[in-house]
C-alpha cells in the first residue's frame, strides 16, 4: 500500500495515498466561525468550496508552521449517495511516498478514545511513522458538518 508521509511537529505520520487526489501548496483560507480550531478554513478548489483541517492543530493543538513544504493533501470522501466530496488535510513537510504492506503497521497497544484515527506504527529508516486512518478521521470531523454539507 502506498502511503504519503508528512510531519506533525517532530513526528512522522502517513495516510493511504489512494484517497489523495492532489497535493497543493498551503494557501490563504476563508475563516469559518463557530467550528473547532483545527478547521483552518475553506477555499475554492476547482469550483467547490472545500474545508481544510490542520492536522497539526488537530493532533498537537498547535497550528501548522509556514514551511515551504507545508502542504494540503486533497483527499476524497465518499458520501452515502455515492457522490465524492473533498477535504484538505494540511500538514508540515509533506515529504515522500512510502510503499508498505498493511501488515507492516503494528498496534501501539495504546488507543486514545479522543483520537481513534491514530493507527498503527511502522519503523522505517526515518524513524517511527504512525498511520492516520482516514475513515476514522472523517467520522471524527463529521459532527461539525463541514464534509457532509459540502460547505
Amino acid at each position: 500500500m502506498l502511503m504519503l508521509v508528512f510531519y506533525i511537529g517532530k513526528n512522522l505520520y502517513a495516510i493511504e495515498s489512494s484517497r489523495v487526489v492532489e497535493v497543493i501548496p498551503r494557501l490563504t483560507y476563508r475563516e469559518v466561525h463557530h467550528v473547532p480550531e483545527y478547521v483552518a478554513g475553506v477555499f475554492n478548489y476547482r469550483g467547490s468550496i472545500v474545508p481544510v483541517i490542520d492536522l497539526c492543530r488537530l493532533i498537537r493543538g498547535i497550528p501548522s508552521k509556514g514551511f515551504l513544504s507545508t502542504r494540503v493533501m486533497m483527499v476524497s470522501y465518499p458520501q452515502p449517495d455515492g457522490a465524492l466530496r473533498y477535504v484538505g488535510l494540511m500538514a508540515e513537510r509533506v515529504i515522500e511516498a512510502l510503499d508498505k504492506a498493511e501488515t507492516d503497521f503494528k498496534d501501539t497497544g495504546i488507543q486514545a478514545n479522543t483520537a481513534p484515527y491514530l493507527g498503527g506504527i511502522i519503523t522505517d529508516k526515518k524513524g517511527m511513522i504512525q498511520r492516520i486512518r482516514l475513515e476514522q478521521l472523517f467520522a471524527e470531523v463529521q459532527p461539525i458538518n463541514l464534509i457532509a454539507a459540502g460547505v
Side-chain angles (χ1 to χ4, degrees), residues 15 18 24 29 34 47 53 55 66 73 79 92 97 121 137:
I15 60 172
S18 66
I24 61 174
Y29 310 105
H34 308 288
I53 295 169
L55 292 175
M73 299 166 283
Q79 295 293 291
E92 299 170 348
I121 292 179
L137 177 65

Side-chain angles (χ1 to χ4, degrees), residues 92-103:
E92 299 170 348
R93 296 180 280 162
V94 179
I95 55 170
E96 66 180 297
L98 180 68
D99 195 11
K100 292 289 183 180
E102 179 85 30
T103 55

Side-chain angles (χ1 to χ4, degrees), residues 1-149:
M1 150 176 50
L2 198 58
M3 308 288 288
L4 190 57
V5 180
F6 53 90
Y7 281 86
I8 296 176
K10 294 180 181 179
N11 296 313
L12 285 163
Y13 291 84
I15 60 172
E16 189 177 340
S17 67
S18 66
R19 301 290 293 276
V20 177
V21 177
E22 184 175 9
V23 178
I24 61 174
R26 183 178 149 167
L27 305 165
T28 301
Y29 310 105
R30 184 184 192 291
E31 201 175 356
V32 179
H33 301 283
H34 308 288
V35 295
E37 288 186 350
Y38 60 78
V39 178
V42 296
F43 78 107
N44 182 343
Y45 177 69
R46 304 189 188 283
S48 297
I49 304 302
V50 175
V52 175
I53 295 169
D54 184 342
L55 292 175
C56 294
R57 181 158 279 196
L58 175 67
I59 293 172
R60 294 187 63 225
I62 299 169
S64 292
K65 293 183 177 156
F67 296 126
L68 288 176
S69 59
T70 298
R71 297 280 186 258
V72 175
M73 299 166 283
M74 297 303 300
V75 297
S76 60
Y77 179 79
Q79 295 293 291
D81 65 1
L84 285 181
R85 296 256 191 244
Y86 299 97
V87 62
L89 302 175
M90 183 174 22
E92 299 170 348
R93 296 180 280 162
V94 179
I95 55 170
E96 66 180 297
L98 180 68
D99 195 11
K100 292 289 183 180
E102 179 85 30
T103 55
D104 290 343
F105 287 89
K106 304 300 179 204
D107 185 15
T108 63
I110 302 169
Q111 182 58 57
N113 292 336
T114 57
Y117 48 84
L118 294 176
I121 292 179
I122 58 171
T123 302
D124 184 69
K125 63 184 175 195
K126 292 187 180 334
M128 289 191 284
I129 304 171
Q130 188 165 23
R131 181 179 183 182
I132 294 179
R133 296 184 298 238
L134 289 177
E135 293 306 319
Q136 285 83 359
L137 177 65
F138 294 144
E140 180 79 12
V141 300
Q142 189 80 32
I144 62 174
N145 293 322
L146 285 178
I147 298 172

